[in-house]
Amino acid sequence: MQALIQLPPLSDSHICSKGDKLLLVMTHQGSEDRETVLEFQIERTRDPQHGDFACNVAMILGKLLKQAPQQLAKEIIARLPPENEWVQAIKMAGPGFINIYLKPVAYHRVLETILVDKERYGRHSLGNGKSVLIEFVSANPTGPLHVGHGRGAAYGASLARLLEVAGYQVACEYYINDSGRQMDILALSVWLRYLELCGETLRFPTKVYQGDYVWDIAATLHREHRDAFRHPSDQLFAGLTETEEHNSPDSFIDTLIQRCQTLLGAAAYRTVFELGLTVILEDIRRDLQEFGVHYDQWFPESQLVPAAEALLEKLTQQGLAYQKEGALWFRSSLYDDEKDRVLRRENGQMTYFATDIAYHWEKLQRGFDHVINIWGADHHGYIPRIKAVLAALGADPQRLSVLLVQFATLYRGKERLQMSTRSGEFVTLRSLREEVGNDAARFFYVQRRCEQHLNFDLELAKSHTLDNPIYYIQYGYARTIKVFRRLQEQGGQWEHNLAYLQTLATPQERSLLILLTRYPEVIASAACAYEPHQIAHYLRDLAQQFHSFYEEHRILVEEMPLRNARLSLTAATQQVLYNGLTLIGVTAPEEM
RNA sequence: GCGCCCGUAGCUCAGCCUGGAUAGAGCGUUGGCCUCCGGAGCCAAAGGCCACAGGUUCAAAUCCUGUCGGGCGCGCCA
């Protein structure tokens, strides 16, 4: 874009680019000699009447020089060469826009690039090879993934691919919360169900995991170990009343965990604990893999405990952690957090925060230029304390970005599906995938900005008809395939030649051509903003433009130059649809 | 109460970061298009005080302030 326009010699000016924006740096010869940075844009026009690109520099300059923008625009245009290899004309319009009209060959060149670059078309050097670690999903291995995790999975996987295409070195990681209280509660839940299978009668507490999967794990435990871990339930519940559970449910559970550990002994407890962890984690791995979500590393929290101890020690020595009311606190309030936070509970157990510190520290130590966390929006209050502790440890908090994903609400048509984790009746990611298919699930998850609440309509996602965007796009791709099959059946040949492309002249052909050349810009924009939804929207537009072209024109016409040109256009569309669909993890089916 | 996110067509949402020319799409509604490469498609119409009120600007859906709605968070939970 920069090559398209040469700026007039306004003092000592030069152009540089910053992000996706061009800057004009000029020495402003005013009363005092100083350098002024002008930010102006050369951007795509929406209305073809305004040419291909529009520049607002005259309006920006007009403000600075206190001159009429329209006059300035005319002067700038007068000093530009009237045309060159790519530019047909440059005109002033409206309040002072400088509109640039391109020669068709400019677009034809890009089409050729697409055909040559193939799946590499759209790739960028934007990231400059910088390394990024993306951590996402990281659900506690206490149960199967649900539809909320699905959104994080789809978003994270698409973002990873997007950044990779944009020139970053990307690694994906799943953090396994395999220690801590929640896991103990899982072990307890499994054991309680196991006791029931052994024939014990007991009152199942409300705050433990109740899903059917707990039964399954307990059944395995019972099958493999028979009554080896059985203890009378009276011993377990001795002195614990229903009122006590009601009044302080947390300490009620903690007591049960302690008794469970005492009654079983360390080795047996470990067996129960490990079985639950292994079974659930394996289920999560398989679920994500089937969903097309791949990780470079699965990082267990348990591995971090020594490092966490060391960091707690370090913070204490630096006076950034202190004892109060039997617990160890971090002075996060010194670093933009509202209050201090507990690192080690009164009962001696570390909080998740303590191991999280070690984990984030460890990630930065591994040398990534940037570290991205994708969290559910309900965790947003947690961000300041993580950034605080990184600052306290002497790291630059800017190296960490936390992206928040809002909740997904499921609908079946008009009906809103209620999800309740406690009862275990939540909708699992697996059941969603089974119902609507991976492609629709991936597409629906990423088609909205992640900070937007997502209404996920199962009926719509499932519909193989008119109103489902995913089928609309895939159908477009299948159509491009079919055209070439048809050509083959007719014994015809496609011969690409730049000269043939001159025969493309209709509005539909031109619009499609322009849209195809925009793909790299969409990649850049989406990558900069961490917004894969831009790709989904672009693909919708592209499919629409292709369908429109297809309906209005016959591709396999008799005239060879025109037929070849339209086939080139079709092939390029096919390629870009493929690249885009692949990026967001959706398949490009050859027939539907 | 404090903090973060959201409020745009009947519905679901883009556009907001980086202010520009008549505010865009899909669904739904209404009306057209199949001797033709797959009609799972295309074309067209109707539909908007961009939540509200101020401010900044030549120019505000976009930036600033306030108000009102909705969601989430504010634990020795994760």
Side-chain angles (χ1 to χ4, degrees):
Chain A
M1 202 188 300
Q2 200 165 333
L4 297 176
I5 179 169
Q6 290 183 337
L7 266 115
L10 292 159
S11 318
D12 299 322
S13 59
H14 66 275
I15 294 182
C16 61
S17 65
K18 177 182 128 191
D20 56 346
K21 186 179 229 186
L22 291 182
L23 302 187
L24 173 66
V25 181
M26 57 174 288
T27 308
H28 177 45
Q29 307 288 355
S31 46
E32 76 273 38
D33 218 23
R34 61 189 171 87
E35 202 166 72
T36 310
V37 177
L38 285 183
E39 300 202 356
F40 66 94
Q41 290 148 2
I42 297 178
E43 54 185 12
R44 299 268 186 174
T45 57
R46 201 150 8 129
D47 187 342
Q49 286 192 341
H50 298 140
D52 296 282
F53 291 90
C55 179
N56 67 345
V57 67
M59 289 181 285
I60 305 281
L61 266 179
K63 186 174 196 167
L64 185 76
L65 303 177
K66 299 201 167 44
Q67 291 181 33
Q70 294 177 329
Q71 187 56 35
L72 275 169
K74 281 180 189 163
E75 280 179 36
I76 292 171
I77 292 169
R79 296 197 218 179
L80 290 167
E83 63 172 312
N84 68 13
E85 191 192 348
W86 306 69
V87 177
Q88 184 135 46
I90 303 176
K91 295 177 187 169
M92 196 281 292
F97 285 104
I98 297 173
N99 290 336
I100 301 164
Y101 296 74
L102 294 185
K103 290 178 177 170
V105 71
Y107 289 114
H108 299 162
R109 288 281 185 197
V110 181
L111 194 149
E112 219 160 44
T113 303
I114 299 172
L115 296 178
V116 171
D117 287 358
K118 295 196 166 30
E119 64 283 344
R120 293 184 48 80
Y121 177 66
R123 291 196 88 96
H124 264 270
S125 53
L126 191 80
N128 225 347
K130 277 191 265 186
S131 57
V132 181
L133 177 67
I134 307 180
E135 181 225 317
F136 59 105
V137 184
S138 298
N140 283 345
T142 52
L145 297 178
H146 56 71
V147 291
H149 299 126
R151 190 175 186 188
Y155 176 68
S158 298
L159 180 63
R161 179 91 182 106
L162 178 59
L163 292 182
E164 206 176 294
V165 167
Y168 291 87
Q169 279 198 298
V170 182
C172 294
E173 189 158 303
Y174 188 112
Y175 180 57
I176 310 166
N177 286 115
D178 60 349
S179 62
R181 186 161 176 269
Q182 292 305 316
M183 287 308 295
D184 287 324
I185 296 177
L186 176 72
L188 173 68
S189 312
V190 170
W191 190 53
L192 289 173
R193 287 302 188 204
Y194 161 87
L195 289 181
E196 287 185 312
L197 288 171
C198 291
E200 294 292 326
T201 49
L202 50 90
R203 187 172 44 78
F204 212 70
T206 52
K207 291 268 280 194
V208 303
Y209 294 103
Q210 315 223 0
D212 287 343
Y213 61 94
V214 179
W215 278 112
D216 296 338
I217 299 166
T220 303
L221 188 69
H222 189 244
R223 195 168 55 245
E224 291 178 0
H225 298 274
R226 311 313 304 177
D227 282 4
F229 303 141
R230 181 173 181 174
H231 291 266
S233 60
D234 310 349
Q235 270 182 293
L236 181 61
F237 285 94
L240 290 174
T241 62
E242 212 165 331
T243 357
E244 200 157 335
E245 180 183 1
H246 182 75
N247 290 340
S248 59
D250 282 328
S251 65
F252 177 83
I253 295 292
D254 283 339
T255 307
L256 282 180
I257 290 170
Q258 271 172 16
R259 289 188 184 177
C260 165
Q261 290 169 338
T262 312
L263 288 167
L264 280 171
Y269 180 75
R270 203 64 214 164
T271 303
V272 176
F273 184 101
E274 290 288 346
L275 182 69
L277 173 66
T278 312
V279 168
I280 289 173
L281 200 56
E282 198 41 51
D283 176 72
I284 290 175
R285 277 183 212 260
R286 212 175 61 242
D287 202 7
L288 288 170
Q289 191 173 348
E290 286 168 7
F291 197 34
V293 177
H294 306 289
Y295 287 93
D296 297 293
Q297 188 164 200
W298 294 71
F299 196 100
E301 179 191 7
S302 51
Q303 191 177 308
L304 286 167
V305 175
E309 292 286 1
L311 284 171
L312 259 49
E313 182 61 28
K314 186 176 171 187
L315 287 170
T316 309
Q317 277 174 10
Q318 290 179 344
L320 293 166
Y322 60 93
Q323 291 288 142
K324 191 181 93 183
E325 294 160 7
L328 183 67
W329 298 69
F330 169 58
R331 288 189 201 279
S332 39
S333 56
L334 289 177
Y335 302 87
D336 285 339
D337 195 9
E338 344 178 286
K339 53 197 271 197
D340 293 349
R341 309 290 177 178
V342 171
L343 293 163
R344 193 196 302 280
R345 295 161 66 193
E346 203 175 354
N347 67 7
Q349 258 199 330
M350 278 192 278
T351 60
Y352 276 74
F353 179 44
T355 38
D356 273 353
I357 291 171
Y359 181 48
H360 284 86
W361 178 248
E362 203 275 344
K363 285 198 283 190
L364 290 180
Q365 292 306 104
R366 272 189 260 164
F368 289 99
D369 293 308
H370 203 73
V371 171
I372 294 175
N373 292 353
I374 297 172
W375 284 353
D378 53 337
H379 286 59
H380 74 254
Y382 200 71
I383 300 171
R385 77 188 73 166
I386 288 287
K387 295 241 179 196
V389 81
L390 290 179
L393 290 168
D396 179 7
Q398 300 268 20
R399 281 171 66 200
L400 171 72
S401 295
V402 182
L403 306 177
L404 299 174
V405 178
Q406 292 289 344
F407 296 124
T409 311
L410 281 189
Y411 285 83
R412 196 177 290 283
K414 293 279 180 204
E415 179 205 356
R416 180 182 173 140
L417 270 57
Q418 289 300 329
M419 284 179 289
S420 158
T421 315
R422 193 179 310 169
S423 62
E425 287 170 14
F426 50 72
V427 181
T428 61
L429 174 60
R430 181 168 283 114
S431 65
L432 174 80
R433 293 194 296 106
E434 281 165 359
E435 181 164 352
V436 307
N438 283 330
D439 283 345
R442 287 290 295 255
F443 189 85
F444 271 65
Y445 274 133
V446 298
Q447 74 173 333
R448 303 284 177 240
R449 285 164 60 220
C450 65
E451 55 270 271
Q452 187 78 244
H453 291 270
L454 175 70
N455 290 323
F456 196 125
D457 184 349
L458 293 168
E459 292 302 324
L460 181 60
K462 263 197 305 188
S463 77
H464 287 219
T465 50
L466 18 108
D467 43 5
N468 188 346
I470 183 60
Y471 286 93
Y472 183 85
I473 298 167
Q474 289 180 321
Y475 179 53
Y477 179 79
R479 261 187 165 171
T480 66
I481 297 285
K482 186 63 188 223
V483 170
F484 282 93
R485 289 214 178 129
R486 188 77 189 181
L487 177 73
Q488 209 169 21
E489 283 164 24
Q490 294 176 353
Q493 289 274 317
W494 165 47
E495 186 196 337
H496 170 72
N497 188 313
L498 185 65
Y500 295 155
L501 300 179
Q502 285 172 21
T503 57
L504 301 174
T506 70
Q508 288 83 6
E509 289 164 338
R510 188 180 150 78
S511 300
L512 184 54
L513 210 41
I514 292 174
L515 201 49
L516 289 168
T517 66
R518 279 194 46 215
Y519 182 64
E521 294 162 36
V522 176
I523 296 285
S525 166
C528 284
Y530 301 146
E531 290 183 347
H533 79 268
Q534 292 189 30
I535 308 294
H537 282 270
Y538 171 81
L539 289 173
R540 220 277 162 197
D541 287 347
L542 182 59
Q544 178 167 52
Q545 202 52 245
F546 178 73
H547 285 307
S548 179
F549 158 74
Y550 182 94
E551 289 292 332
E552 291 298 318
H553 309 299
R554 199 176 162 74
I555 295 170
L556 299 176
V557 292
E558 290 299 321
E559 312 93 281
M560 284 312 265
L562 183 59
R563 173 204 280 205
N564 279 318
R566 287 184 175 162
L567 283 169
S568 294
L569 189 54
T570 304
T573 305
Q574 182 180 105
Q575 187 67 57
V576 176
L577 284 174
Y578 178 86
N579 293 2
L581 284 171
T582 308
L583 195 157
I584 56 174
V586 175
T587 61
E590 306 213 331
E591 36 187 49
M592 314 221 13

